[in-house]
Amino acid sequence: MHIAIGGFLHESHSFAPHPAGYRQFIETGGFPSLQWPETMLTALRGISVPAAGAIAEAEAAGATIAPLGWGFANPAGPVTREAFERIAGMILGALSRAMPVDGVYLDLHGAMVSDDFPDAEGELLRRVRAVIGPHTPLTASLDPHASMTRAMVEHADALVPFRTYPHVDMPAAGARAMALLLRRVRGEPAWEKAFAELDFLIPITSQCTLVEPMAGVMAARAALSEGLAELGYCFGFPYCDFPGCGQAIAGFGPGAQAAVNKLAAEIAARESAFMGGVMPAAEAVAQARGLAGDKPVVIADTQDNPGGGGHGDTTGLLAELIAQGAEGAVLAIMNDAESAAACHAAGVGATLALQLGGRSDGAPLAVTATVENLTDGRFTLTGPMGRGNPADLGPCALIRVAPGVRVVVVSRKMQAHDQAVFTQIGVEPAQQRILAVKSSVHFRADFGPLAAAVLVAAAPGPVVADPATLPFTSLRPGLRLRPGDNRRF
């Protein structure tokens, strides 16, 4: 078997302050940088990305692999025309040179919007299908935040979303998609397909599969998938301004339509449970101060989540920690290359004035900072979601900005979903009273077990907790912008 493997991943926020250009696929933070076909297999084997699971599954089956290249960029605004065409061109060119192949697996996110293609994965799958023809098997893994579209389902033999959020099963999803591909390559007939879009958006803070209502939805999905090749449910990324935005279900195999309909009914029955769970930053800090004890209280700065398109540099939560005199608080991570460079120039022990953060929204915070530690920002992730992945955040600084408040300042953005963002600069998370993390849900995998409590705070930022507040123009008619709201777009 001769199997082609490639990847192109981006989660695009239509209203985020910065686009995702070609450079962002090279400077990736906690994931490998852009890999050309010649380096892809070596770079991805054994790490925590879906393609790694697919590679292992294919090699275990004795297949030879034609690497197509692989690219990831942190969530941001739409992917630029240059970046999309250069990376798609790399993948399509390598695929053309590798032909004929017995099958193709792609590691995709599913919520990529580009300058030219609102459904960028649908366009990429269309181009791949045009190269390989109508009968060569093609599967892909997806992030469950995908805005899975009818075009994506049409061009693929099967689509396999992760089952978890936080995403602790990324390699497993890649392995499942590869196993399905190999079944088709070995002669299993093409599967019946079914597809459905649901009519309301779910805030990302309510999509965590560790708790209800999503835990119950995923249990129902597992039961209903019996006998199917795949029953894929994508929660949607509610910041993509195009008709495919939102929840979707795709079934592959006998009885797919019935299973899709039943899962849609299970989700609809839980609609009201998807509301709420977010508090103002001032309230979150006040509660954290009252709860802080032997174990840290974790505050999620959800609206500046770099994993949802935020730039990781807003200062609202930090200002509240300082204003309330929070003791034993550490915030991570503040994406501010200029301040990090100033700290490195000043050296450990120095005190200097900084205009901290605010590069994306023009609202920096004036602080007097004492430099406590400096690193080069190169380390390996250790948590359940990214274990083994290389991180390169550029020059980093640990600074004290008030008697009880410290900040981890970095030069490249990354979501704070891994304790290693603290330990790499000498902070032991379990020993802090308050941990403020720029994340929405992923942090729960590594920080949840050590937390006395988890609070989700709404400070200013683009990853708004209520998507209904965004200025959408291109959603499909009839879509409701929040659970429990009968108003339709």
Side-chain angles (χ1 to χ4, degrees), residues 46 167 242 250 388 390 393 398 429:
H167 304 326
F242 83 114
L393 302 183
L398 175 65

Side-chain angles (χ1 to χ4, degrees), residues 32 35-36 38 68 75 99 167 174 185 197 236 244 248 294 300 313 320 334 350-351 365 381 409 426 442 458 462 474:
Q35 299 297 315
W36 291 82
E38 296 78 10
L68 307 179
M99 291 295 289
H167 304 326
V185 169
E197 295 173 317
D294 294 337
D313 70 344
E320 198 61 49
M334 183 66 70
T351 297
L365 184 66
L381 301 185
V409 184
H442 282 323
S474 303

Side-chain angles (χ1 to χ4, degrees), residues 138-141 152-153 155-160 177 180-181 191 193 229-230 252:
L138 167 59
T139 67
S141 56
M152 293 163 63
V153 174
H155 295 307
D157 288 71
L159 299 171
V160 182
L180 291 180
L181 181 71
W191 298 298
K193 299 179 185 179
E230 173 65 17
F252 303 88

Side-chain angles (χ1 to χ4, degrees), residues 17-383:
H18 297 285
Y22 189 74
R23 178 180 177 184
Q24 280 64 52
F25 286 87
I26 297 171
E27 298 178 353
T28 57
F31 285 87
S33 62
L34 181 67
Q35 299 297 315
W36 291 82
E38 296 78 10
T39 62
M40 188 192 90
L41 295 179
T42 300
L44 299 187
R45 280 193 183 99
I47 66 170
S48 189
V49 297
I55 291 165
E57 186 79 10
E59 291 181 334
T64 59
I65 296 175
L68 307 179
W70 184 94
F72 164 92
N74 277 299
V79 175
T80 64
R81 177 178 296 111
E82 177 206 18
F84 181 81
E85 294 299 343
R86 287 181 72 174
I87 297 171
M90 171 185 72
I91 291 170
L92 272 295
L95 178 60
S96 296
R97 293 189 295 273
M99 291 295 289
V101 297
D102 295 307
V104 178
Y105 158 80
L106 293 178
D107 182 0
L108 305 177
H109 184 285
M112 187 192 306
V113 174
S114 76
D115 285 345
D116 296 321
F117 304 106
D119 178 13
E121 283 93 353
E123 172 63 15
L124 181 65
L125 287 165
R126 184 195 68 78
R127 295 184 188 187
V128 169
R129 180 57 75 190
V131 172
I132 64 177
H135 304 301
T136 299
L138 167 59
T139 67
S141 56
L142 299 176
D143 188 299
H145 291 109
S147 293
M148 183 166 54
T149 64
R150 193 173 300 277
M152 293 163 63
V153 174
E154 174 188 347
H155 295 307
D157 288 71
L159 299 171
V160 182
F162 316 157
R163 314 289 199 228
T164 63
Y165 181 36
H167 304 326
V168 297
D169 67 329
M170 290 187 285
R176 286 193 294 269
M178 178 56 69
L180 291 180
L181 181 71
L182 296 177
R183 284 167 57 178
R184 289 280 292 112
V185 169
R186 290 171 176 141
E188 188 166 337
W191 298 298
E192 171 191 338
K193 299 179 185 179
F195 177 73
E197 295 173 317
L198 283 78
D199 71 345
F200 66 97
L201 299 180
I202 300 177
I204 60 171
T205 51
S206 299
Q207 295 180 4
C208 179
T209 58
L210 297 174
V211 297
E212 296 297 341
M214 196 59 82
V217 171
M218 297 310 289
R221 188 218 65 81
L224 291 168
S225 66
E226 186 70 29
L228 293 178
E230 173 65 17
L231 181 60
Y233 169 44
C234 289
F235 322 147
F237 186 59
Y239 308 105
C240 297
D241 191 13
F242 83 114
C245 179
Q247 303 178 74
I249 307 167
F252 303 88
Q257 190 64 63
V260 165
N261 293 345
K262 289 177 181 177
L263 182 55
E266 291 278 356
I267 298 164
R270 293 170 169 83
E271 179 177 342
S272 62
F274 285 107
M275 299 183 287
V278 181
M279 65 184 70
E283 181 182 341
V285 172
Q287 283 198 27
R289 292 176 63 223
L291 292 168
D294 294 337
K295 299 176 70 176
V297 176
V298 178
I299 305 176
D301 191 1
T302 183
Q303 296 196 147
D304 192 32
N305 173 16
H311 201 56
D313 70 344
T314 64
T315 60
L317 180 57
L318 175 59
E320 198 61 49
L321 290 166
I322 295 171
Q324 294 195 32
E327 289 292 332
V330 187
L331 181 143
I333 37 188
M334 183 66 70
N335 175 29
D336 183 349
E338 185 176 332
S339 291
C343 291
H344 275 254
V348 173
T351 297
L352 67 161
L354 293 175
Q355 293 292 316
L356 184 62
R359 310 300 169 185
S360 64
D361 64 359
L365 184 66
V367 299
T368 299
T370 300
V371 182
E372 295 194 349
N373 201 1
L374 300 168
T375 70
D376 64 5
R378 295 189 179 96
F379 57 98
T380 300
L381 301 185
T382 57

Side-chain angles (χ1 to χ4, degrees), residues 399-464:
I399 59 175
R400 185 174 297 276
V401 295
V405 181
R406 295 185 291 171
V407 182
V408 180
V409 184
V410 304
S411 300
R412 296 172 188 157
K413 78 174 185 176
M414 173 187 160
Q415 182 176 177
H417 62 70
D418 196 294
Q419 291 188 44
V421 301
F422 289 96
T423 58
Q424 63 95 16
I425 202 159
V427 176
E428 179 51 57
Q431 296 175 4
Q432 312 310 310
R433 291 172 61 83
I434 298 173
L435 296 170
V437 294
K438 287 187 178 288
S439 179
S440 294
V441 171
H442 282 323
F443 71 93
R444 291 179 183 267
D446 207 15
F447 293 93
L450 61 82
V454 170
L455 307 175
V456 182
V463 192
V464 295

